[in-house]
């Protein structure tokens, strides 16, 4: 059974990004369908898969991470506007029976991602 998960690490503080807001969308041509909004737990993860089983379909998706709000809540003084505000990651799911893990490493000035396991 396939599933979609995420995990965010705060590279500025060297810790999980607990409390960061994340939104998930399905991209269907020009239409953008909101699927889920959540706050990451103490480990910087969602409490469960973002999608799994029949809810996970092949197609295009977008995760949006609330990077600036997270760092401001941690007491980091950011310029206005912040260099990174929200970080959108568009990705594709080709095999709905697989595990797709989308981690994010973030600071107020940079981010990176990869397909995790």
């Amino acid at each position: 059974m396939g599933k979609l998960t995420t995990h965010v690490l705060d590279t500025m503080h060297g810790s999980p990004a607990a409390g960061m807001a994340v939104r998930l969308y399905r991209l269907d041509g020009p239409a953008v369908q909101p699927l889920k909004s959540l706050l990451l737990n103490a480990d910087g993860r969602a409490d469960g898969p973002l999608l799994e089983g029949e809810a996970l379909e092949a197609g295009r998706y977008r995760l949006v991470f609330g990077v600036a709000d997270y760092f401001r809540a941690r007491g980091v003084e950011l310029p206005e506007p912040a260099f990174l505000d929200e970080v959108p990651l568009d990705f594709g799911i080709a095999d709905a029976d697989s595990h797709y893990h989308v981690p994010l490493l973030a600071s107020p000035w940079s981010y990176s991602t990869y397909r995790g396991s």
Side-chain angles (χ1 to χ4, degrees):
M1 177 168 46
K3 63 182 174 179
L4 172 64
T5 58
T6 192
H7 183 207
V8 182
L9 296 174
D10 171 347
T11 58
M12 179 180 189
H13 296 102
S15 64
M20 182 179 284
V22 179
R23 297 187 315 274
L24 173 65
Y25 300 89
R26 180 166 169 82
L27 308 177
D28 190 14
V32 178
Q33 176 186 4
L35 298 177
K36 187 173 277 193
S37 294
L38 61 126
L39 296 178
L40 299 177
N41 64 23
D43 194 35
R45 299 175 187 269
D47 288 330
L50 301 174
L51 296 172
E52 66 181 325
E54 292 181 8
L56 182 66
E57 300 176 4
R60 305 282 312 154
Y61 292 86
R62 175 177 294 150
L63 281 167
V64 180
F65 299 90
V67 172
D69 286 346
Y70 163 79
F71 282 105
R72 284 188 182 109
R74 292 279 321 252
V76 177
E77 189 172 325
L78 300 177
E80 190 56 50
F83 180 68
L84 294 177
D85 184 10
E86 293 189 323
V87 171
L89 296 179
D90 290 2
F91 59 96
I93 292 182
D95 179 5
D97 291 325
S98 292
H99 179 192
Y100 284 79
H101 183 63
V102 183
L104 183 74
L105 306 174
S107 81
W109 309 280
S110 67
Y111 67 92
S112 63
T113 191
Y114 53 94
R115 180 173 174 192
S117 59

